[in-house]
Amino acid sequence: MKISYNWLKQFLQIDWDAQKTGGLLTDLGLEVEGISQFESVKGGLKGIVIGHVLTCEKHPNADKLKLTTVDIGQEAPLQIVCGAPNVAIGQKVPVATVGTILYTPEGESWVIKKGKIRGEVSEGMICAEDEIGVGESHDGIMVLNEELVPGTPCSKVFDIENDEVFEIGLTPNRADAMSHFGVARDLKAGLEQKEIQKELVTPSVSNFSIDNRSLKVDVEVIESDLAPRYCGVTISNLVVQDSPDWLKNRLKAIGLAPINNVVDVTNYVLHELGQPLHAFDAFKIKGNKVEVKTLPGGTKFTTLDGVERELHEDDLMICDAGSPMCIAGVFGGLHSGVTEHTTSIFLESAYFDSVSIRKTAKRHGLNTDASFRFERGIDINLTKYALKRAALLIREIAGGYITSEIVDLFPKKPQDRQVFLTFNKIHSLIGQEIPQDMIKSILSSLEIRINNVTESGLGLTIPTYRVDVTREVDVIEEILRVYGYNNIDFKEKLNASIAKTSRFENYRIQDVVGNMLAAKGFYEIMTNSLVSSDITLQDDSAVQMLNPLSSDLSVLRTSMLHSGLQTVSYNHNRQKTDLKLFEYGKTYHRVDGLHKERQHLAIFISGDRSQNSWSVDSKKSEFFYLKGIVDNVLERLGLRDIDTKPLTESAYAEGISYVKNNKTLVSLGLVNKADIKEFDIKQEVFYADLDWDAILESVSTQNVSFKEIPKFPEVTRDFALLLDNSVSFQEVYDIAWNTEKKLLKKVNLFDVYMGKNLPEGKKSYAVSFTLMDEKKTLTDKQIDKIMGKLLTQYQKELGAKLR
């Protein structure tokens, strides 16, 4: 937000330099991010002085040029070649001396140099008004008042505005400071704490009067909840033309382009007081009636920028008796605004519901100065005052008469906000005692009224323009920022207590697993919890946002998959195809009318698992690599005795799930091709979804048991089984454990072969079996007996054959 220092001084007579004032504003919470210079005339007329034309003769070598001598207050006059047809002896003219920088209307610069023109020396330039930036005419040189003294700087002759502009990084809660008057009000409070008393000058509207009642416009507010207050007045017989220089300069200083005197006044009052206004051409209001209402969804409306928009049924509109004229609080219409032919206006000043305005602005992709303020909340009690202020300014600079009573529809007055402030709460939050007299002084400077004083605290009434101050802690924050954060003492001794926390705290376990994954070459990502409604189209549990920023961010995610695939796609599009990523995040669901959140750890692998080098060949990522990573995570957390089951979720082309105590801890596998194609990913992506809530619960209830290391050796035997393609390893695994429950310790699939030299429809599983007796060494006879039983069962149940 831009704040002009000259404009600020209209409200507060302060002689500090801009840097010092900017420092105080920052201390008050209005952070000054930068200070820039503004000149109403580019260059400030530096190097341009008043000259007196002493002689003027025809150039000896050019028909259209003249040779002049000009007195600029130096010992000797300058010889200047001039091509203007109106140059003559005795004129007082602006002269750009050698070295002066002039600017074109487009902002390009050029330097005046001493040189020869058609063989004659020229030591400067006699200027036209457009060449020095004080006008637009180029018909000839600018002839000035004869009484001016040669050598006088033109910056002292012309009314040049030099200003310093603060760029303030305004936080969203500070709606009260969205104007020059609001900033001046804060600055006054800050000065008073430094024992500098300054009067805050409020623009007077005491001269407001109704000239006649010749043009009445009726107003009906149908949607009073969306427009709690609506004011309007008519002004007739005005002349729409360019604004005076002082008004143009105020607007230019803060980056606004002047349009015409009526529109410029509405913009001026908006930035002066923070109240948006809108002017309608009164003769374009059909039926002399204004209606504030919503229209059916799909209604077409063309805005001031010439864009035809389709209205939503909740968009609040300003309409006449026949059609919409303006999107309330957001943007005007193309056919109802003020033009150079306008002679009468209906001037609107209103308070619109902030939520409604924000939704409308976002729906139409509009962000205007008016919507910016309405969204954050303006002062409902300022509406009529700002209307009077604007009406008086328009009457002053555009002429005309105020030709109606002020319409003020304000059916439901807001109640004063009461807050009780306790001294103990102030001291406990700030950590330092502030004298009660100083607290009262700060509150008074902030226009927070003290209703009663007790031993324990103060009863307060909050002004309506402070829409963000609703609680006791808000008032304490106000006291602290004016008192000064820099004035809070730091103690030499810091006291702290050691908190007893469980080793199963969420953040501790996240750190353990995160560090382990990072050590294995994974990168942590953080993605947006908001996704497009297209992604969750088939999910009835999806939680819709009531006030989405855009259609692409309108639903809370129900899965970690799609936001992760967006990251994979983003990296692939930038030639980063070998990815190992993980993310801690939440999914959101609506279950039985309740909103629920689930924590997850998502792992994504795509491309090569290792880079190619002279010593190691690159190796593609595959399912078992992801499975090994997940196994390592679960083993690190001490989770054992976990069952695996085939996965049938639509998000996976194939995969498995890990289940413990009938709870699914992990789902992992290859992402299906449809999802990959949707994100324009051209290689396989492996994805593991760890239900972090279920894992935390399992970890915290996991009993750690200890036993002696076995004294007797393990024995491993292998089978190469020829099986039907339809047989899964899970079946092989289950049969082994059902056959030998006492001595079997481990079953492992270490090779799968499908291809040449095998019968059609067959595959080969290489399976190892680990056996051990904890009480004695196994004999060959025992081992062969167990392996025989296993083979018999495989032959019987699966039709297996040994290769």
Side-chain angles (χ1 to χ4, degrees), residues 361-374:
K362 293 301 177 185
R363 271 194 292 266
H364 296 290
L366 295 170
N367 182 22
T368 61
D369 284 336
S371 67
F372 179 82
R373 284 157 178 78
F374 280 125

Side-chain angles (χ1 to χ4, degrees), residues 217-220 230 285 288-292 318-319 325 346:
V217 174
D218 294 323
V219 178
E220 181 181 5
Y230 191 92
I285 301 176
N288 274 7
K289 183 176 183 180
V290 169
E291 296 180 350
V292 184
I318 310 299
C319 308
M325 300 189 297
F346 174 74

Side-chain angles (χ1 to χ4, degrees), residues 11 23 38 43 46 49 65 67 87 145 201 213 272 307 332 356 407 409 446 490 528 621 722 736 788 794:
F11 304 108
F38 168 77
K46 293 175 183 175
V49 299
L65 297 179
L67 194 62
V87 64
N145 191 316
V201 180
R213 293 169 177 81
E272 179 186 50
V307 177
S356 171
V407 176
L409 301 181
L446 292 170
F490 288 92
N528 201 330
S621 299
L722 188 64
Y794 287 138

Side-chain angles (χ1 to χ4, degrees), residues 165-278:
V165 181
F166 301 107
E167 183 67 46
I168 294 179
L170 194 67
T171 53
N173 63 307
R174 292 302 308 278
D176 63 296
M178 293 188 297
S179 65
H180 285 74
F181 184 74
V183 173
R185 186 167 48 203
D186 244 30
L187 188 58
K188 177 180 181 293
L191 290 171
E192 287 185 3
Q193 297 316 303
K194 297 182 178 294
E195 298 183 353
I196 301 174
Q197 299 296 325
K198 293 288 182 181
E199 180 186 358
L200 184 64
V201 180
T202 305
S204 174
V205 294
S206 59
N207 291 333
F208 181 87
S209 61
I210 300 167
D211 298 307
N212 60 66
R213 293 169 177 81
S214 59
L215 181 58
K216 180 184 179 184
V217 174
D218 294 323
V219 178
E220 181 181 5
V221 178
I222 297 172
E223 301 289 345
S224 58
D225 288 341
L226 302 182
R229 188 174 191 183
Y230 191 92
C231 298
V233 71
T234 63
I235 305 174
S236 303
N237 297 332
L238 51 78
V239 178
V240 177
Q241 57 189 2
D242 283 350
S243 297
D245 288 341
W246 70 265
L247 180 52
K248 287 182 179 179
N249 290 336
R250 286 286 179 265
L251 297 179
K252 286 179 181 178
I254 59 174
L256 296 181
I259 298 172
N260 59 55
N261 49 5
V262 174
V263 175
D264 290 350
V265 165
T266 63
N267 287 330
Y268 178 85
V269 173
L270 180 147
H271 288 275
E272 179 186 50
L273 302 176
Q275 170 67 50
L277 303 109
H278 191 75

Side-chain angles (χ1 to χ4, degrees), residues 376-428:
R376 286 155 179 78
I378 61 171
D379 183 6
I380 196 169
N381 289 329
L382 186 67
T383 306
K384 188 175 181 178
Y385 168 77
L387 181 69
K388 289 182 177 181
R389 169 68 170 158
L392 287 172
L393 283 173
I394 291 173
R395 189 169 66 175
E396 176 187 336
I397 67 174
Y401 305 97
I402 296 174
T403 51
S404 74
E405 299 279 357
I406 289 180
V407 176
D408 185 9
L409 301 181
F410 194 11
K412 192 180 294 184
K413 305 292 191 296
Q415 292 183 345
D416 290 338
R417 270 175 288 136
Q418 308 290 332
V419 173
F420 189 78
L421 178 67
T422 58
F423 296 123
N424 288 339
K425 187 71 171 179
I426 298 173
H427 302 152
S428 65

Side-chain angles (χ1 to χ4, degrees), residues 32-43:
V32 175
E33 297 174 342
I35 302 174
S36 58
Q37 302 296 317
F38 168 77
E39 297 170 326
S40 60
V41 174
K42 185 74 171 176

Side-chain angles (χ1 to χ4, degrees), residues 489-528:
D489 296 330
F490 288 92
K491 297 181 179 179
E492 295 181 0
K493 181 181 178 182
L494 180 64
N495 296 322
S497 58
I498 300 175
K500 181 181 179 182
T501 59
S502 168
R503 64 190 183 94
F504 299 117
E505 288 286 342
N506 187 8
Y507 75 92
R508 290 177 180 269
I509 299 176
Q510 283 193 18
D511 284 346
V512 168
V513 175
N515 290 335
M516 188 188 82
L517 290 173
K520 292 180 179 294
F522 283 77
Y523 288 90
E524 184 173 7
I525 62 173
M526 289 183 287
T527 61
N528 201 330

